[in-house]
Structures are given as C-alpha cells and as structure tokens.
Amino acid sequence: MKELTIDATVENIETVTCFIEGQLEEYGCPVKAQMQIAIAIDELFGNIAHYAYHPGVGPATVRVEVTKDPLAAVITFIDNGVQYDPLAKTDPDTSLSAEERDIGGLGIYMVKKSMDELSYEYKDGQNILRIRKNI
C-alpha cells in the first residue's frame, strides 16, 4: 500500500492522479480502467477540495493498494473535513434532459457506475471513502 497526504485543492488533482497511475502501471492496469479511475479521482478528490474544508484548505490522504484474486485497485480517500457521505445522495434521473435534471450528483453517479465497489464511513472525525476497480 502506498499513501500520499496532500492539501485538498483542485490544483492537486493532477498530482493525486499521477501518484495513483504510477502505482497502477506497475500492475499493467488496462487503459480503460485507468481512465475510469482517473475520472473517479477527479470527481472524488475534487469534491473534497471544494467542500470538505470550505472556505479553507485542509489535508487529504489518498491510499492505493492492489489486491489479488481478483486483481483490483483499491483507492481510499480520507479527510478531516465536514462529515459527508456522497453515496447517500439519490442518483439523478438520467432519463430527463440536462435542463430538467436537478443540479449536482451526476459525477458521483458516474463513479458509482464505473467502479466495482464503493463504501463510505465516518470514523474518528474522518470521512473515509473507498473505491475498488477490478483490473
């Protein structure tokens, strides 16, 4: 398992993405899975950057590990910001046009659809969001 602790800012999304991609390349992660993971990082770390410590900035820890049987990337996002479970939000009605839909929720919906498993817990003052993608 590798870990990176960094300020939760939008500017650091690229750093987090590069950190995780570097780990995944060691295991021959397919390009499609890497793209789906990159989108998930953008959405999840972006949400932490925008909302966890608003209006200030605080730290976020990102852990990446690769498990076997099945071969999967497990990525954990940890922050000490405002308690928030993004998985509890109702999925948007994608049968409606963009103009008819409520604003928000589409990004996390895309993450839910593209990952093999997601979990959230609030423990010891920390938001802990974990995603798993079979590779």
Side-chain angles (χ1 to χ4, degrees), residues 23-81:
Q23 305 305 310
L24 298 179
E25 286 172 4
E26 292 179 26
Y27 292 91
C29 184
V31 172
K32 180 180 178 181
Q34 283 188 38
M35 294 294 292
Q36 291 171 323
I37 291 168
I39 290 167
I41 294 164
D42 188 72
E43 174 65 22
L44 300 174
F45 195 84
N47 281 347
I48 295 168
H50 283 293
Y51 306 114
Y53 300 102
H54 186 72
V57 173
T61 299
V62 181
R63 292 182 184 147
V64 60
E65 62 184 304
V66 176
T67 63
K68 295 182 179 175
D69 205 19
L71 189 61
V74 179
I75 302 163
T76 306
F77 299 86
I78 303 167
D79 69 77
N80 301 310

Side-chain angles (χ1 to χ4, degrees), residues 15 18 20 24 33 35 44 59 65 67 76 83 95 106 108 114:
T15 301
C18 289
I20 292 172
L24 298 179
M35 294 294 292
L44 300 174
E65 62 184 304
T67 63
T76 306
Q83 182 179 354
S95 67
L106 194 56
I108 193 68
S114 65

